[in-house]
Amino acid sequence: MLIAHVGIFRDKNGEMLIIPTWQQDGGPRLDSMQYSKLSSDYTEDEVGKKILDSAEISRMNEQEDPEQDVCKEASGLKTWKAFQKKYENVMISVLDTGEWKIARFLKQKGHSYGLNKDEVDKYTRHYKEALSAEELGKVVLEMFAMK
């Protein structure tokens, strides 16, 4: 079972948005306003620490306004189409078994992110337990470099 989920979005200048999600009662996971922004001068350790902080926020699952538009607020962009055009995406899922799944999602038609069945193995990493902040940052940055 999924206990935490974090979306990491990076633009072509290297700036990042790290967005935890929360689980709506009986509904989908929604983005949290408790996001972090990093300018392009971050270290692997800084990226990893922000992701670990965001995973903890997601795990706490504090209910927020389900109508908020976090991506619009965080990016300053007016539409999802503009957001998806500007940002690349890596998603992190933490399971109740302690396993971490890190996936580089690709831009899809229809202004979404995802992976086709034949891309899953190439763009997904599984870890039996949490990585250190520096290791986590390194993996995420490596995944953003994948084409």
Side-chain angles (χ1 to χ4, degrees), residues 13-123:
N13 298 321
E15 294 182 358
M16 260 188 219
L17 299 173
I18 301 172
I19 304 174
T21 65
W22 58 278
Q23 179 73 47
Q24 187 176 22
D25 291 335
R29 295 198 74 83
L30 300 169
D31 294 339
S32 170
M33 288 299 287
Q34 298 181 61
Y35 61 86
S36 299
K37 283 184 163 183
L38 291 174
S39 60
S40 61
D41 61 346
Y42 44 74
T43 65
E44 292 171 350
D45 191 53
E46 289 169 326
V47 171
K49 285 178 181 175
K50 290 292 186 185
I51 293 169
L52 291 171
D53 291 346
S54 292
E56 186 55 33
I57 290 168
S58 179
R59 188 183 330 261
M60 291 185 322
N61 201 47
E62 293 177 0
Q63 302 294 296
E64 297 180 24
D65 178 0
E67 301 299 319
Q68 62 201 9
D69 191 334
V70 176
C71 292
K72 184 176 176 181
E73 172 78 22
S75 68
L77 299 170
K78 296 183 189 281
T79 65
W80 172 254
K81 181 179 177 180
F83 182 89
Q84 192 266 346
K85 184 176 180 179
K86 181 176 180 176
Y87 289 95
E88 301 293 328
N89 178 239
V90 170
M91 300 297 269
I92 297 179
S93 300
V94 182
L95 306 177
D96 60 356
T97 60
E99 179 182 2
W100 284 55
K101 183 173 101 174
I102 305 173
R104 165 79 159 95
F105 284 7
L106 304 176
K107 293 181 181 184
Q108 304 288 308
K109 290 181 181 178
H111 309 292
S112 65
Y113 299 95
L115 293 173
N116 296 323
K117 289 180 183 179
D118 62 332
E119 297 170 325
V120 172
D121 288 341
K122 178 179 179 180
Y123 293 104

Side-chain angles (χ1 to χ4, degrees), residues 122-134:
K122 178 179 179 180
Y123 293 104
T124 305
R125 305 287 181 266
H126 295 271
Y127 299 92
K128 297 287 184 193
E129 56 191 34
L131 301 172
S132 71
E134 188 171 356

